[in-house]
């Protein structure tokens, strides 16, 4: 029997990209999957930043199954920067990226099954930045820190880990040349690269891993390049 057969998995932002592939892989392995996403479709349509929507979603999961085995907090926060981001937009990013994962775990914590696991999707932006990305970067840094706090609070009830994806192409485009070569792995990532790690972290094979972050970026954050290295030069405005 497959390890995930008849298990209950919850995936936020599960109608596209990493979330869609994660939900698909769980279903392929026999799990019952509940998705919440703002996009229309055969799932719970709702905004994770809406407290009442999260409460209705959690109630549906518990009402239909009575338990939860896996929670994957994947819904992405909006990205806006210092020059253009309003206070309200910044708060929304934190609501989607940090408050919603916290509250969903809080709602479902009393219903976690034995061997439960939580996987939070952060980003390599939790440790590196481009200019004008403050809302997204702050939210991803927040969920990375939330991960080890939840791991402590849920000790004995669930393992909690996070994944920090690098460049993941979610629209099926293939990149070559410099776009691929800037990753030491030689290519841009795919949703499957992340989904497979989500399932690993939820499996019994990862039974001694909790409070950890796994960076999946093809090695990009570990490549040190200075001006003049590998044909790269610093441009001047």
């Amino acid at each position: 029997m497959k390890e995930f057969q008849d298990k209950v998995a919850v995936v936020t932002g599960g109608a596209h990209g990493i979330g869609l592939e994660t939900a698909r892989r769980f279903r392929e392995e026999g799990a019952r999957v509940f998705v919440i996403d703002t996009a229309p479709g055969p799932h719970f349509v709702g905004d994770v930043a809406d407290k009442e929507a999260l409460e209705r979603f959690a109630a549906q999961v518990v009402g239909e199954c009575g338990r939860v085995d896996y929670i994957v907090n994947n819904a992405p926060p909006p990205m806006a920067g210092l020059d253009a981001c309003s206070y309200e937009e910044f708060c929304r990013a934190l609501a989607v990226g940090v408050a919603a994962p916290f509250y969903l775990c809080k709602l479902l914590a009393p219903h976690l099954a034995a061997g439960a696991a939580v996987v939070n999707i952060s980003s390599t932006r939790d440790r590196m930045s481009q200019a004008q990305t403050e809302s997204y970067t702050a939210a991803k840094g927040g969920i990375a820190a939330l991960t080890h706090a939840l791991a402590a609070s849920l000790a004995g009830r669930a393992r909690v880990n996070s994944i920090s994806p690098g460049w993941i192409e979610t629209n099926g485009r293939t990149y070559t040349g410099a776009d691929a070569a800037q990753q030491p792995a030689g290519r841009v990532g795919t949703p499957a690269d992340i989904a497979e790690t989500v399932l690993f972290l939820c499996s019994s094979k990862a039974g001694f891993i909790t409070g950890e972050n796994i960076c999946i970026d093809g090695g990009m954050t570990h490549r040190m390049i200075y001006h003049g290295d590998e044909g790269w030069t610093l441009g001047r405005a």
Side-chain angles (χ1 to χ4, degrees):
M1 181 178 290
K2 297 177 180 178
E3 180 169 359
F4 299 109
Q5 188 70 44
D6 299 325
K7 300 292 188 178
V8 178
V10 167
V11 181
T12 71
H16 57 279
I18 292 170
L20 178 64
E21 179 64 14
T22 298
R24 186 193 72 78
R25 285 290 292 115
F26 268 124
R27 292 190 184 102
E28 187 175 80
E29 292 296 319
R32 183 170 183 185
V33 183
F34 290 83
V35 165
I36 179 171
D37 200 293
T38 55
H43 50 261
F44 187 100
V45 178
D47 183 350
V48 296
D50 181 340
K51 178 174 177 286
E52 292 184 357
L54 271 186
E55 290 169 348
R56 293 195 305 272
F57 175 60
Q60 177 183 322
V61 175
V62 173
E64 292 187 23
C65 297
R67 76 175 203 281
V68 176
D69 295 280
Y70 315 114
I71 302 170
V72 182
N73 288 304
N74 167 75
M79 183 185 292
L82 185 65
D83 292 350
C85 187
S86 68
Y87 178 82
E88 290 76 17
E89 289 170 325
F90 191 84
C91 288
R92 172 166 174 76
L94 295 182
V96 172
V98 184
F102 163 78
Y103 194 48
L104 186 59
C105 286
K106 181 178 177 66
L107 291 168
L108 295 177
H111 310 285
L112 291 170
V118 177
V119 179
N120 296 323
I121 305 300
S122 182
S123 166
T124 52
R125 293 175 189 268
D126 62 9
R127 68 203 66 188
M128 58 192 298
S129 294
Q130 291 173 298
Q132 303 302 324
T133 63
E134 280 77 10
S135 68
Y136 186 90
T137 299
K140 290 305 186 179
I143 198 171
L146 178 66
T147 295
H148 52 76
L150 285 172
S153 295
L154 292 174
R157 290 189 284 168
R159 293 179 298 102
V160 186
N161 294 288
S162 65
I163 295 172
S164 291
W167 185 355
I168 304 298
E169 170 54 41
T170 59
N171 294 314
R173 179 178 174 183
T174 299
Y175 291 86
T176 58
D179 286 329
Q182 67 181 327
Q183 281 85 202
R187 66 176 176 86
V188 171
T190 69
D193 292 318
I194 309 305
E196 290 299 330
T197 307
V198 171
L199 265 67
F200 166 72
L201 288 172
C202 290
S203 75
S204 58
K205 294 178 181 178
F208 198 55
I209 304 174
T210 192
E212 188 56 79
N213 173 271
I214 298 178
C215 179
I216 304 177
D217 69 343
M220 188 173 180
T221 56
H222 290 298
R223 167 166 274 172
M224 183 178 289
I225 301 178
Y226 289 93
H227 175 70
D229 284 353
E230 301 189 34
W232 183 89
T233 57
L234 178 64
R236 297 291 184 182

